[in-house]
Amino acid sequence: MIEYLYGTPQPHRPPIGPLSPALQRSSTVGQPDAETLRAVGAGEQGGEFYQRMGHVNGRAFESLVATLEGADGAVSFASGMAAMSAALGAHLSAGDRVLIAEEVYGGTSAFALHDLARFGVTVDRFSSLDLNSLRTQLARPAKMVVFESPINPTLRVADIPAIAAMAKEHGAMVVFDGTFCPPPIQKVLPMGVDLVVHSATKFFGGHSDVLAGVVAGPHDLLDAIEKWRRRTGGLLAPDPAWLCQRSWPTLNMRLQAQQEAALQVAQGLQEDVASGRIAAVTYPGLPDHPDRAIIDRQMHGGGCVLAMEFAGGLNQVLSVINRLQVIARAASLGGVESLSTVPAYTTHAPLTPQQRQAAGISDGLLRVAVGLEGADVLLADLRQAIRG
Ligand code: PLP
């Protein structure tokens, strides 16, 4: 039997012994003799050796992710960006060309443009909302296509199977950031994605108390990623891995409850849209979403994040966010606490107003990541903030 240095799906066993798994913090492991030390270190014999080569708590978390995604395995990292940079760094070399969607997380763009480019990788962009722009870019050879959906912070939705199929037709590997909607909301490997990356800081951790990341996919692609992790050292430590495992039994319930609350909030806000207090609410669970047909094909529900737009621009949205009493003003998403941000003032502030407009991000946009406080509480908080 092959022993992988990362977690793979495990058969379910009835719990016998302590129900809470042991936390193993040791950075190294004593061996009975020099020959065993050599053989375990060389990978000729199984067993724990040194924490950077992988550890029991990391593999336990990775096994859960691999099972959830229906993947051969998963490799965990110290953050979502460590996971994304490993997926790209392990598979791209000088002379390769990578196509990064305009709409990806800012950290992914920054890594590609500042770091991959320095190492001789050509970085070109396409719009994940326009298949023609990908087709045009694929007229020249590309090694990899990177994108995500739903798109932050506009909540537009890209056609995952269509993009994956077009990339594959042209021989490009497909890397997808699945952070916004983990399974069962969206399961992307069966849609043609090769590697799915998650910031486990979000839903997998779920309680705003860990920074973590993970990549799931087939063994032939994970092998290089695990080796990258061993050489660069950005693996997930035992404590946050244990916390992610502790969060796992509630993941599905949290996702369902947060998604249901997000839908109720989006529906409840329609009253304020009708009265003109809000210019628009965008949420993939609403019937009038511009990407409705795509959503129906690839998502089970609308996810846990919504966006609303105020005609009064930045001044109005800043007044609204500053009046919130329950929803925190904080970056991130996927935790049990609801969070709000004004992209034009924070994440997308470095862009010019024209660039933001081209990306569909109006200055009056408020993003709300819905937690577990309950839809009634959140609606009341938003209403008092909106109505001033
Ligand atoms: N991908 C997406 C979609 C994100 O929202 C984030 C963080 O906000 C990341 C990746 C990066 O994850 P981390 O902050 O865990 O490095």
Coordinates of all heavy atoms in Angstrom, one line a residue, residues 82-170:
A82 N -1.0 30.5 1.4 CA 0.0 29.5 1.3 C -0.4 28.4 0.4 O 0.4 27.8 -0.4 CB 0.4 29.1 2.7
A83 N -1.7 28.0 0.5 CA -2.2 26.9 -0.3 C -2.3 27.3 -1.8 O -1.9 26.6 -2.7 CB -3.6 26.5 0.2
M84 N -2.8 28.5 -2.1 CA -2.9 29.0 -3.5 C -1.5 29.1 -4.1 O -1.3 28.7 -5.2 CB -3.7 30.3 -3.5 CG -3.9 30.9 -4.9 SD -4.7 29.7 -6.1 CE -6.4 30.0 -5.7
S85 N -0.6 29.7 -3.4 CA 0.7 29.9 -3.9 C 1.4 28.6 -4.1 O 2.2 28.5 -5.1 CB 1.6 30.9 -3.1 OG 1.7 30.4 -1.7
A86 N 1.1 27.6 -3.3 CA 1.7 26.3 -3.5 C 1.1 25.6 -4.8 O 1.9 25.0 -5.6 CB 1.4 25.4 -2.3
A87 N -0.2 25.7 -4.9 CA -0.8 25.1 -6.1 C -0.2 25.7 -7.4 O 0.0 24.9 -8.4 CB -2.3 25.3 -6.1
L88 N 0.0 27.0 -7.4 CA 0.5 27.6 -8.6 C 2.0 27.4 -8.7 O 2.6 27.0 -9.7 CB 0.2 29.1 -8.6 CG -1.1 29.6 -9.1 CD1 -2.3 28.8 -8.5 CD2 -1.3 31.1 -9.0
G89 N 2.7 27.6 -7.6 CA 4.2 27.5 -7.6 C 4.7 26.1 -7.9 O 5.7 26.0 -8.5
A90 N 4.0 25.1 -7.4 CA 4.4 23.7 -7.6 C 4.3 23.3 -9.1 O 4.9 22.3 -9.5 CB 3.7 22.8 -6.7
H91 N 3.4 24.0 -9.8 CA 3.1 23.5 -11.2 C 3.5 24.4 -12.3 O 3.2 24.1 -13.5 CB 1.6 23.1 -11.3 CG 1.2 21.9 -10.5 ND1 1.6 20.6 -11.0 CD2 0.6 21.7 -9.4 CE1 1.2 19.7 -10.1 NE2 0.6 20.3 -9.1
L92 N 4.0 25.6 -11.9 CA 4.4 26.5 -13.0 C 5.9 26.7 -13.0 O 6.5 26.8 -11.9 CB 3.7 27.9 -12.8 CG 2.2 27.9 -13.0 CD1 1.6 29.2 -12.4 CD2 1.8 27.7 -14.5
S93 N 6.5 26.9 -14.1 CA 8.0 27.1 -14.3 C 8.2 28.2 -15.2 O 7.3 28.6 -16.0 CB 8.6 25.8 -14.8 OG 8.3 24.7 -14.1
A94 N 9.5 28.7 -15.2 CA 9.9 29.8 -16.0 C 9.5 29.4 -17.5 O 9.8 28.3 -17.9 CB 11.4 30.1 -15.9
G95 N 8.9 30.4 -18.2 CA 8.5 30.1 -19.6 C 7.1 29.7 -19.7 O 6.5 29.8 -20.8
D96 N 6.4 29.3 -18.6 CA 5.0 28.9 -18.7 C 4.2 30.2 -18.7 O 4.6 31.2 -18.3 CB 4.6 28.1 -17.5 CG 5.1 26.6 -17.5 OD1 5.5 26.2 -18.6 OD2 5.2 26.0 -16.5
R97 N 2.9 30.0 -19.2 CA 2.0 31.1 -19.2 C 0.7 30.7 -18.4 O 0.2 29.6 -18.5 CB 1.6 31.4 -20.7 CG 0.6 32.5 -20.9 CD 0.6 32.9 -22.4 NE -0.4 33.8 -22.6 CZ -1.6 33.5 -23.2 NH1 -1.9 32.2 -23.5 NH2 -2.5 34.4 -23.3
V98 N 0.3 31.6 -17.5 CA -0.9 31.3 -16.6 C -1.9 32.3 -16.9 O -1.6 33.5 -17.1 CB -0.5 31.2 -15.1 CG1 0.1 32.5 -14.6 CG2 -1.7 30.8 -14.3
L99 N -3.2 31.9 -17.0 CA -4.3 32.8 -17.2 C -5.1 33.0 -15.9 O -5.6 32.0 -15.4 CB -5.2 32.3 -18.3 CG -4.6 32.0 -19.7 CD1 -5.6 31.5 -20.7 CD2 -3.9 33.3 -20.2
I100 N -5.0 34.2 -15.3 CA -5.7 34.4 -14.0 C -6.9 35.3 -14.3 O -6.8 36.4 -14.9 CB -4.7 35.2 -13.1 CG1 -3.3 34.5 -13.0 CG2 -5.3 35.4 -11.7 CD1 -3.1 33.6 -11.9
A101 N -8.0 34.9 -13.8 CA -9.3 35.7 -14.0 C -9.1 37.0 -13.3 O -8.5 37.1 -12.2 CB -10.5 34.9 -13.4
E102 N -9.6 38.1 -14.0 CA -9.6 39.4 -13.4 C -10.3 39.4 -12.0 O -10.0 40.2 -11.2 CB -10.4 40.4 -14.3 CG -9.8 40.6 -15.7 CD -8.6 41.6 -15.6 OE1 -8.2 42.0 -14.5 OE2 -8.0 41.8 -16.7
E103 N -11.3 38.5 -11.8 CA -12.1 38.6 -10.7 C -11.7 37.8 -9.5 O -12.4 37.5 -8.6 CB -13.6 38.1 -11.1 CG -14.2 39.0 -12.2 CD -13.8 38.6 -13.6 OE1 -13.1 37.6 -13.7 OE2 -14.2 39.2 -14.6
V104 N -10.4 37.3 -9.5 CA -10.0 36.4 -8.3 C -9.6 37.3 -7.1 O -9.5 38.5 -7.2 CB -8.7 35.5 -8.7 CG1 -9.1 34.5 -9.7 CG2 -7.5 36.4 -9.1
Y105 N -9.5 36.6 -6.0 CA -9.1 37.3 -4.7 C -7.8 38.1 -5.0 O -6.9 37.6 -5.6 CB -8.9 36.2 -3.7 CG -8.4 36.7 -2.4 CD1 -9.1 37.5 -1.6 CD2 -7.1 36.3 -1.9 CE1 -8.6 38.0 -0.4 CE2 -6.6 36.8 -0.7 CZ -7.4 37.6 0.1 OH -6.9 38.1 1.2
G106 N -7.7 39.3 -4.4 CA -6.6 40.2 -4.6 C -5.3 39.6 -4.3 O -4.3 39.8 -5.0
G107 N -5.2 38.7 -3.3 CA -3.9 38.0 -2.9 C -3.4 37.1 -4.0 O -2.2 37.0 -4.2
T108 N -4.4 36.5 -4.7 CA -4.0 35.6 -5.8 C -3.4 36.4 -6.9 O -2.4 36.0 -7.5 CB -5.2 34.7 -6.2 OG1 -5.7 34.1 -5.1 CG2 -4.9 33.8 -7.3
S109 N -4.1 37.5 -7.3 CA -3.6 38.4 -8.3 C -2.2 38.9 -8.0 O -1.3 38.9 -8.8 CB -4.4 39.6 -8.5 OG -5.7 39.3 -8.9
A110 N -2.0 39.3 -6.7 CA -0.8 39.9 -6.3 C 0.4 38.9 -6.4 O 1.5 39.2 -6.8 CB -0.9 40.5 -4.9
F111 N 0.1 37.6 -5.9 CA 1.1 36.6 -6.0 C 1.5 36.3 -7.4 O 2.7 36.2 -7.8 CB 0.6 35.3 -5.4 CG 1.5 34.1 -5.6 CD1 2.8 34.1 -5.0 CD2 1.2 33.1 -6.4 CE1 3.7 33.1 -5.2 CE2 2.1 32.0 -6.7 CZ 3.3 32.0 -6.0
A112 N 0.5 36.3 -8.3 CA 0.8 36.0 -9.7 C 1.6 37.1 -10.3 O 2.7 36.9 -11.0 CB -0.4 35.8 -10.5
L113 N 1.2 38.4 -10.1 CA 1.8 39.5 -10.8 C 3.1 39.9 -10.2 O 4.0 40.3 -10.9 CB 0.8 40.7 -10.7 CG -0.5 40.6 -11.5 CD1 -1.5 41.7 -11.2 CD2 -0.2 40.5 -13.0
H114 N 3.3 39.8 -8.9 CA 4.5 40.2 -8.2 C 5.6 39.1 -8.1 O 6.8 39.3 -8.2 CB 4.3 40.8 -6.9 CG 3.4 42.0 -6.9 ND1 3.9 43.2 -7.4 CD2 2.2 42.3 -6.6 CE1 3.0 44.1 -7.3 NE2 1.9 43.6 -6.8
D115 N 5.1 37.9 -7.9 CA 6.1 36.8 -7.6 C 6.2 35.8 -8.8 O 7.4 35.6 -9.2 CB 5.6 36.0 -6.4 CG 5.6 37.0 -5.2 OD1 6.7 37.5 -4.9 OD2 4.5 37.2 -4.6
L116 N 5.1 35.3 -9.3 CA 5.3 34.3 -10.4 C 6.0 35.0 -11.6 O 6.9 34.5 -12.2 CB 3.9 33.8 -10.9 CG 3.2 32.8 -10.0 CD1 1.9 32.4 -10.5 CD2 4.1 31.6 -9.8
A117 N 5.6 36.3 -11.9 CA 6.2 37.0 -13.0 C 7.7 37.2 -12.8 O 8.5 37.1 -13.7 CB 5.5 38.4 -13.1
R118 N 8.2 37.4 -11.5 CA 9.6 37.6 -11.3 C 10.4 36.3 -11.6 O 11.6 36.3 -11.8 CB 9.8 37.9 -9.8 CG 9.7 39.4 -9.4 CD 10.2 39.6 -8.0 NE 9.6 38.8 -7.0 CZ 10.2 37.9 -6.3 NH1 11.5 37.8 -6.4 NH2 9.6 37.2 -5.4
F119 N 9.7 35.2 -11.5 CA 10.3 33.9 -11.8 C 10.1 33.4 -13.2 O 10.3 32.2 -13.5 CB 9.9 32.8 -10.8 CG 10.4 33.1 -9.4 CD1 9.5 33.6 -8.4 CD2 11.7 33.0 -9.1 CE1 10.0 33.9 -7.1 CE2 12.2 33.3 -7.8 CZ 11.3 33.8 -6.8
G120 N 9.7 34.4 -14.1 CA 9.7 34.0 -15.5 C 8.4 33.4 -16.0 O 8.3 32.8 -17.1
V121 N 7.3 33.5 -15.2 CA 6.0 33.0 -15.6 C 5.3 34.2 -16.2 O 5.2 35.2 -15.6 CB 5.2 32.4 -14.4 CG1 3.8 31.9 -14.9 CG2 6.0 31.2 -13.8
T122 N 4.7 34.0 -17.4 CA 3.9 35.0 -18.0 C 2.5 35.0 -17.5 O 1.9 33.9 -17.5 CB 3.9 34.8 -19.6 OG1 5.2 34.9 -20.1 CG2 3.0 35.9 -20.3
V123 N 2.0 36.1 -17.0 CA 0.7 36.2 -16.4 C -0.2 37.0 -17.3 O 0.1 38.2 -17.5 CB 0.8 36.8 -14.9 CG1 -0.6 36.9 -14.3 CG2 1.7 36.0 -14.1
D124 N -1.3 36.4 -17.8 CA -2.3 37.1 -18.6 C -3.6 37.0 -17.9 O -3.9 36.0 -17.1 CB -2.3 36.6 -20.0 CG -1.1 37.1 -20.8 OD1 -0.8 38.3 -20.6 OD2 -0.6 36.3 -21.6
R125 N -4.5 37.9 -18.2 CA -5.8 38.0 -17.5 C -6.9 37.7 -18.4 O -6.8 37.9 -19.6 CB -6.0 39.4 -16.8 CG -4.9 39.9 -16.0 CD -4.4 39.0 -14.9 NE -5.4 38.8 -13.8 CZ -5.5 39.5 -12.7 NH1 -4.6 40.5 -12.5 NH2 -6.4 39.3 -11.8
F126 N -8.1 37.2 -17.9 CA -9.3 37.0 -18.7 C -10.4 37.3 -17.8 O -10.3 37.4 -16.5 CB -9.4 35.6 -19.3 CG -9.7 34.5 -18.3 CD1 -11.0 34.0 -18.1 CD2 -8.7 34.1 -17.4 CE1 -11.2 33.0 -17.2 CE2 -8.9 33.1 -16.5 CZ -10.2 32.6 -16.3
S127 N -11.6 37.6 -18.3 CA -12.8 37.7 -17.5 C -13.5 36.4 -17.3 O -13.9 35.8 -18.3 CB -13.7 38.8 -18.0 OG -14.9 38.8 -17.3
S128 N -13.7 36.0 -16.1 CA -14.4 34.7 -15.9 C -15.9 34.8 -16.2 O -16.6 33.9 -16.2 CB -14.2 34.2 -14.5 OG -14.6 35.2 -13.5
L129 N -16.4 36.1 -16.5 CA -17.8 36.3 -16.8 C -18.0 36.4 -18.4 O -19.1 36.6 -18.8 CB -18.3 37.6 -16.2 CG -18.4 37.5 -14.6 CD1 -18.6 38.9 -14.0 CD2 -19.4 36.5 -14.2
D130 N -16.9 36.2 -19.1 CA -16.9 36.3 -20.5 C -16.1 35.2 -21.2 O -14.9 35.3 -21.3 CB -16.4 37.7 -20.9 CG -16.3 37.9 -22.4 OD1 -16.8 37.1 -23.2 OD2 -15.7 38.9 -22.8
L131 N -16.8 34.1 -21.6 CA -16.1 33.0 -22.2 C -15.2 33.4 -23.4 O -14.2 32.8 -23.7 CB -17.0 31.9 -22.6 CG -17.7 31.1 -21.4 CD1 -18.7 30.1 -21.9 CD2 -16.6 30.3 -20.7
N132 N -15.6 34.4 -24.1 CA -14.9 34.8 -25.3 C -13.5 35.4 -24.9 O -12.5 35.2 -25.7 CB -15.6 35.9 -26.1 CG -16.7 35.3 -26.9 OD1 -16.6 34.2 -27.4 ND2 -17.8 36.0 -27.1
S133 N -13.4 36.0 -23.8 CA -12.1 36.5 -23.4 C -11.2 35.4 -23.0 O -10.0 35.5 -23.3 CB -12.2 37.5 -22.2 OG -12.3 36.9 -21.0
L134 N -11.7 34.3 -22.5 CA -10.8 33.1 -22.2 C -10.4 32.5 -23.5 O -9.3 32.1 -23.8 CB -11.6 32.1 -21.3 CG -10.8 30.8 -21.0 CD1 -9.5 31.2 -20.2 CD2 -11.7 29.9 -20.2
R135 N -11.4 32.4 -24.4 CA -11.1 31.7 -25.8 C -10.0 32.5 -26.5 O -9.1 31.9 -27.0 CB -12.4 31.8 -26.6 CG -12.3 30.9 -27.9 CD -13.7 30.8 -28.6 NE -14.7 30.0 -28.0 CZ -15.8 30.5 -27.5 NH1 -16.1 31.8 -27.5 NH2 -16.7 29.7 -26.9
T136 N -10.1 33.8 -26.4 CA -9.0 34.6 -27.1 C -7.7 34.4 -26.4 O -6.7 34.2 -27.1 CB -9.4 36.2 -26.9 OG1 -10.7 36.3 -27.4 CG2 -8.4 37.1 -27.6
Q137 N -7.6 34.3 -25.1 CA -6.3 34.1 -24.4 C -5.8 32.7 -24.7 O -4.6 32.5 -24.8 CB -6.5 34.3 -22.9 CG -6.7 35.7 -22.5 CD -5.4 36.6 -22.7 OE1 -4.4 36.1 -23.3 NE2 -5.4 37.8 -22.2
L138 N -6.7 31.7 -24.9 CA -6.3 30.4 -25.1 C -5.8 30.1 -26.5 O -5.3 29.0 -26.8 CB -7.4 29.4 -24.7 CG -7.6 29.2 -23.2 CD1 -8.9 28.4 -22.9 CD2 -6.4 28.4 -22.6
A139 N -5.9 31.1 -27.4 CA -5.3 31.0 -28.7 C -3.8 30.8 -28.7 O -3.2 30.2 -29.6 CB -5.7 32.2 -29.6
R140 N -3.2 31.3 -27.6 CA -1.8 31.0 -27.4 C -1.7 30.0 -26.2 O -2.5 30.0 -25.3 CB -1.0 32.3 -27.0 CG -0.8 33.2 -28.2 CD 0.0 34.4 -27.8 NE -0.7 35.3 -26.9 CZ -0.2 35.9 -25.8 NH1 1.0 35.7 -25.4 NH2 -1.0 36.7 -25.1
P141 N -0.6 29.1 -26.2 CA -0.6 28.1 -25.2 C -0.5 28.6 -23.8 O 0.1 29.6 -23.5 CB 0.8 27.4 -25.5 CG 1.1 27.7 -26.9 CD 0.5 29.1 -27.2
A142 N -1.3 28.0 -22.9 CA -1.3 28.3 -21.5 C -1.2 27.1 -20.7 O -1.8 26.0 -21.0 CB -2.5 29.1 -21.1
K143 N -0.4 27.1 -19.6 CA -0.3 25.9 -18.8 C -1.4 25.7 -17.8 O -1.8 24.6 -17.4 CB 1.1 26.0 -18.0 CG 1.4 24.9 -17.0 CD 2.1 23.8 -17.6 CE 2.4 22.6 -16.7 NZ 3.5 22.8 -15.8
M144 N -2.0 26.9 -17.3 CA -2.9 26.8 -16.2 C -4.0 28.0 -16.3 O -3.6 29.1 -16.8 CB -2.2 27.0 -14.9 CG -3.0 26.8 -13.7 SD -2.0 27.2 -12.2 CE -1.0 25.7 -12.0
V145 N -5.2 27.7 -15.9 CA -6.2 28.7 -15.8 C -6.7 28.7 -14.3 O -6.9 27.7 -13.7 CB -7.4 28.3 -16.7 CG1 -8.6 29.2 -16.5 CG2 -7.0 28.4 -18.2
V146 N -6.8 29.9 -13.8 CA -7.1 30.1 -12.3 C -8.3 31.0 -12.2 O -8.3 32.1 -12.8 CB -5.9 30.7 -11.6 CG1 -6.3 30.8 -10.1 CG2 -4.7 29.9 -11.8
F147 N -9.4 30.6 -11.5 CA -10.5 31.4 -11.3 C -11.3 31.0 -10.1 O -10.9 30.1 -9.4 CB -11.4 31.4 -12.6 CG -12.2 30.1 -12.8 CD1 -13.6 30.1 -12.8 CD2 -11.5 28.9 -13.2 CE1 -14.3 28.9 -13.0 CE2 -12.3 27.8 -13.4 CZ -13.6 27.8 -13.3
E148 N -12.4 31.8 -9.8 CA -13.2 31.5 -8.6 C -14.6 31.9 -8.9 O -14.9 32.7 -9.8 CB -12.7 32.1 -7.4 CG -12.7 33.6 -7.4 CD -11.9 34.2 -6.2 OE1 -10.7 33.8 -6.1 OE2 -12.4 35.1 -5.5
S149 N -15.6 31.4 -8.1 CA -17.0 31.7 -8.3 C -17.7 31.2 -7.0 O -17.4 30.1 -6.6 CB -17.6 31.1 -9.5 OG -18.9 31.4 -9.7
P150 N -18.7 32.0 -6.5 CA -19.1 33.3 -6.9 C -18.0 34.3 -6.7 O -17.0 34.1 -5.9 CB -20.2 33.6 -5.9 CG -20.7 32.3 -5.4 CD -19.5 31.4 -5.4
I151 N -18.1 35.4 -7.4 CA -17.0 36.4 -7.5 C -17.2 37.4 -6.4 O -18.3 37.9 -6.1 CB -17.1 37.1 -8.9 CG1 -16.6 36.0 -9.9 CG2 -16.2 38.3 -8.9 CD1 -17.1 36.3 -11.3
N152 N -16.1 37.8 -5.7 CA -16.1 38.7 -4.6 C -15.8 40.1 -5.2 O -14.8 40.3 -5.9 CB -15.0 38.3 -3.6 CG -14.9 39.3 -2.5 OD1 -15.8 39.7 -1.9 ND2 -13.6 39.6 -2.2
P153 N -16.4 41.2 -4.8 CA -17.6 41.3 -3.9 C -18.9 41.5 -4.7 O -19.9 41.8 -4.1 CB -17.3 42.5 -3.1 CG -16.6 43.5 -4.1 CD -15.9 42.5 -5.1
T154 N -18.9 41.2 -6.0 CA -20.1 41.5 -6.8 C -21.1 40.4 -6.7 O -22.3 40.6 -7.1 CB -19.7 41.7 -8.3 OG1 -19.1 40.5 -8.8 CG2 -18.8 42.9 -8.5
L155 N -20.7 39.2 -6.3 CA -21.6 38.0 -6.2 C -22.1 37.6 -7.5 O -23.1 36.9 -7.6 CB -22.7 38.3 -5.2 CG -22.4 38.0 -3.7 CD1 -21.8 36.6 -3.5 CD2 -21.5 39.0 -3.1
R156 N -21.4 38.0 -8.6 CA -21.7 37.4 -9.9 C -21.2 36.0 -9.9 O -20.3 35.6 -9.1 CB -21.1 38.2 -11.1 CG -21.6 39.6 -11.2 CD -23.0 39.6 -11.8 NE -23.1 38.9 -13.1 CZ -22.9 39.3 -14.3 NH1 -22.5 40.6 -14.5 NH2 -23.0 38.6 -15.4
V157 N -21.7 35.2 -10.9 CA -21.3 33.7 -10.9 C -20.7 33.3 -12.3 O -21.3 33.6 -13.3 CB -22.5 32.9 -10.5 CG1 -22.3 31.4 -10.7 CG2 -23.0 33.2 -9.1
A158 N -19.5 32.7 -12.3 CA -18.9 32.3 -13.5 C -19.3 30.8 -13.8 O -19.7 30.1 -12.9 CB -17.4 32.3 -13.3
D159 N -19.3 30.5 -15.1 CA -19.8 29.2 -15.5 C -18.6 28.2 -15.4 O -17.7 28.1 -16.2 CB -20.2 29.3 -17.0 CG -20.9 28.0 -17.5 OD1 -20.6 26.9 -16.9 OD2 -21.7 28.1 -18.4
I160 N -18.6 27.5 -14.3 CA -17.4 26.6 -13.9 C -17.2 25.5 -14.9 O -16.1 25.4 -15.5 CB -17.6 26.1 -12.5 CG1 -17.7 27.2 -11.5 CG2 -16.3 25.2 -12.1 CD1 -18.1 26.7 -10.0
P161 N -18.2 24.7 -15.3 CA -18.0 23.6 -16.2 C -17.5 24.1 -17.6 O -16.7 23.5 -18.2 CB -19.3 22.9 -16.3 CG -20.1 23.3 -15.1 CD -19.6 24.6 -14.8
A162 N -18.1 25.3 -18.0 CA -17.7 25.8 -19.4 C -16.3 26.3 -19.4 O -15.5 26.0 -20.3 CB -18.7 26.9 -19.7
I163 N -15.9 27.0 -18.3 CA -14.5 27.4 -18.3 C -13.5 26.3 -18.2 O -12.5 26.2 -18.9 CB -14.3 28.4 -17.1 CG1 -15.1 29.7 -17.4 CG2 -12.8 28.7 -16.8 CD1 -15.1 30.7 -16.2
A164 N -13.9 25.3 -17.3 CA -13.0 24.1 -17.1 C -12.9 23.4 -18.5 O -11.7 22.9 -18.9 CB -13.5 23.2 -16.0
A165 N -14.0 23.2 -19.2 CA -13.9 22.4 -20.4 C -13.1 23.1 -21.5 O -12.3 22.5 -22.2 CB -15.4 22.2 -20.9
M166 N -13.2 24.5 -21.5 CA -12.5 25.2 -22.5 C -11.0 25.1 -22.2 O -10.1 25.0 -23.1 CB -13.0 26.7 -22.6 CG -12.5 27.4 -23.8 SD -13.1 29.1 -23.7 CE -14.8 28.9 -24.2
A167 N -10.6 25.3 -20.9 CA -9.2 25.2 -20.5 C -8.7 23.8 -20.9 O -7.5 23.7 -21.5 CB -9.1 25.5 -19.0
K168 N -9.4 22.8 -20.5 CA -8.9 21.4 -20.8 C -8.7 21.1 -22.3 O -7.8 20.5 -22.7 CB -10.0 20.4 -20.3 CG -10.0 20.3 -18.8 CD -8.8 19.6 -18.2 CE -8.9 19.2 -16.8 NZ -10.2 18.6 -16.4
E169 N -9.7 21.6 -23.1 CA -9.6 21.5 -24.6 C -8.2 22.0 -25.1 O -7.7 21.5 -26.0 CB -10.7 22.3 -25.2 CG -11.7 21.6 -26.0 CD -12.8 22.6 -26.4 OE1 -12.5 23.6 -27.2 OE2 -13.9 22.5 -25.8
H170 N -7.7 23.0 -24.4 CA -6.5 23.6 -24.8 C -5.3 23.1 -24.0 O -4.2 23.7 -23.9 CB -6.6 25.2 -24.7 CG -7.5 25.7 -25.7 ND1 -8.9 25.7 -25.6 CD2 -7.3 26.3 -27.0 CE1 -9.4 26.3 -26.7 NE2 -8.5 26.6 -27.5

